[in-house]
């Protein structure tokens, strides 16, 4: 779902960069109202968990794969505004460190997944979560993927990319399958989080054991799990192939961790595992730092 550089026209990516910068600033200010100092480790651990989960692609059919986006999961556990900040941090690290998603297209990816993706994923939980908790979480996972994929298609169309009806129809079907899987994964993980601590955000000081379990799960996914991930292209990559625009993708710079591999190692597993561990550290540190900054501003 990460749009690379070269797919969007300059007016589209420039407008979305400006829009996302303002939106993330507003989200950070809104997050101050409900941010307690004890929630800072929770932001870091949940951010690391979603990053690790995004590394694992699963097949969805027709030679295409998908992966957890995590917007609904973050929204339902952290609240929508803190979740938007955490998802933005994930996308920034993925773009700058792992070259997953373009630098110029970063605003589009943030808008699609961290702003509207998170808010749409949280909406069913906000409306129905007090009565139909698990169905609401499932619906949020589905809606977050459908929202992000629709926005990506719209942005490509606004950038002048031809959109044959047949190709768009097949891609929409694959996105729908990914959305249902997102909903199922989201409700499963959210239910596990609730069992660890039913009032996690409200009583973070009692969540030490739960934080450790989720951190361990993130480490396992980022190391062993990444090796088992599907090698098929994701929905957006497959769409680009079918539209004949995959050759437009370009990178503005090279990093030692591009494509989630640390090139210092000869062994393929070590390359991926080392990159995953470093990614977890980067994400945790950035999310915790942002959470601490928001918490201190609130206290001040």
């Amino acid at each position: 779902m990460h749009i690379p550089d070269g797919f969007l026209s300059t007016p589209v990516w420039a407008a979305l960069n400006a829009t996302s910068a303002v939106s993330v600033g507003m989200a950070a200010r809104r997050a101050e109202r409900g941010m307690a100092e004890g929630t800072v480790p929770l932001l870091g651990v949940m951010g690391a968990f979603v990053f690790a989960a995004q590394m694992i692609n699963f097949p969805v059919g027709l030679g295409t794969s998908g992966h957890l986006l995590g917007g609904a999961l973050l929204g339902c556990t952290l609240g929508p505004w803190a979740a938007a900040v955490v998802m933005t941090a994930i996308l920034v690290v993925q773009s700058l460190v792992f070259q997953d998603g373009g630098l110029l297209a970063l605003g589009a990816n943030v808008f699609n997944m961290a702003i509207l993706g998170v808010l749409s994923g949280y909406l069913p939980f906000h409306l129905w979560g007090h009565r139909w908790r698990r169905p609401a979480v499932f619906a949020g996972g589905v809606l977050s993927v459908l929202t992000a994929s629709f926005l990506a298609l719209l942005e490509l169309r606004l950038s002048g990319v031809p959109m044959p009806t047949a190709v768009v129809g097949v891609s929409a079907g694959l996105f729908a399958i990914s959305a249902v899987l997102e909903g199922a994964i989201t409700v499963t993980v959210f239910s596990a989080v609730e069992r660890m601590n039913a009032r996690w955000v409200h009583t973070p000081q009692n969540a030490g054991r739960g934080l450790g379990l989720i951190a361990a799960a993130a480490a396992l996914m980022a190391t062993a799990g990444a090796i088992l991930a599907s090698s098929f292209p994701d929905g957006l990559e497959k769409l680009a192939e079918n539209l004949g625009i995959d050759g437009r993708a370009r990178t503005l710079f090279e990093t030692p961790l591009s494509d989630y591999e640390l090139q210092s190692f000869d062994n393929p597993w070590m390359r991926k595992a080392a990159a995953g561990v470093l990614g977890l550290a980067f994400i945790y540190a950035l999310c915790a730092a942002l959470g601490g900054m928001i918490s201190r501003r609130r206290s001040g």
Side-chain angles (χ1 to χ4, degrees):
M1 198 64 69
H2 298 65
I3 301 174
D5 285 330
F7 282 15
L8 301 180
S9 64
T10 300
V12 171
W13 64 252
L16 288 170
N17 280 336
T19 301
S20 293
V22 173
S23 299
V24 172
M26 293 175 60
R29 286 194 293 272
R30 293 291 296 271
E32 290 177 21
R33 301 177 185 178
M35 179 75 69
E37 186 175 351
T39 63
V40 171
L42 180 61
L43 266 63
V45 170
M46 289 304 299
F49 180 88
V50 168
F51 166 79
Q54 287 189 5
M55 291 180 64
I56 303 177
N57 284 41
F58 46 79
V60 297
L62 301 180
T64 305
S65 68
H67 62 74
L68 182 77
L69 294 187
L73 176 61
L74 290 174
C76 294
T77 52
L78 304 176
W81 308 115
V85 173
V86 168
M87 182 63 81
T88 298
I90 294 171
L91 293 170
V92 168
V93 171
Q94 288 173 329
S95 175
L96 295 180
V97 179
F98 298 98
Q99 297 184 294
D100 186 9
L103 179 60
L104 299 179
L106 180 58
N109 291 321
V110 167
F111 185 74
N112 298 351
M113 290 182 276
I115 305 301
L116 290 190
V118 165
L119 294 180
S120 63
Y122 178 73
L123 181 61
F125 186 76
H126 174 71
L127 296 176
W128 315 319
H130 61 290
R131 295 186 60 188
W132 302 296
R133 204 162 183 80
R134 284 170 177 73
V137 172
F138 176 83
V142 172
L143 188 57
S144 66
V145 173
L146 294 180
T147 298
S149 58
F150 171 79
L151 289 171
L153 290 172
L154 177 61
E155 289 152 9
L156 291 173
R157 186 68 188 89
L158 291 175
S159 297
V161 176
M163 292 285 183
T165 302
V167 174
V168 173
V170 171
S171 294
L174 294 171
F175 286 137
I177 295 172
S178 294
V180 172
L181 293 172
E182 176 94 10
I185 296 170
T186 300
V187 76
T188 300
V189 176
F190 181 81
S191 297
V193 168
E194 276 202 314
R195 285 193 294 271
M196 293 176 195
N197 188 331
R199 300 177 61 231
W200 198 323
V201 176
H202 301 292
T203 56
Q205 67 274 14
N206 297 327
R209 177 174 175 271
L211 289 177
L213 290 174
I214 289 194
L220 183 63
M221 288 189 294
T223 53
I227 304 302
L228 304 176
S230 171
S231 60
F232 292 140
D234 68 18
L236 185 60
E237 291 171 335
K238 189 68 173 180
L239 173 64
E241 291 179 10
N242 292 335
L243 294 175
I245 64 170
D246 51 314
R248 298 186 189 180
R250 55 192 176 90
T251 55
L252 302 182
F253 56 91
E254 296 291 335
T255 73
L257 293 169
S258 62
D259 200 27
Y260 298 95
E261 292 190 356
L262 182 59
Q263 302 302 324
S264 304
F265 296 96
D266 295 327
N267 183 279
W269 179 83
M270 286 296 297
R271 288 201 297 266
K272 289 185 176 294
V277 170
L278 288 173
L280 293 181
F282 293 151
I283 295 293
Y284 179 86
L286 181 56
C287 291
L290 290 172
M293 182 176 64
I294 292 172
S295 179
R296 287 191 296 273
R297 287 181 58 181
R298 178 180 182 275
S299 301

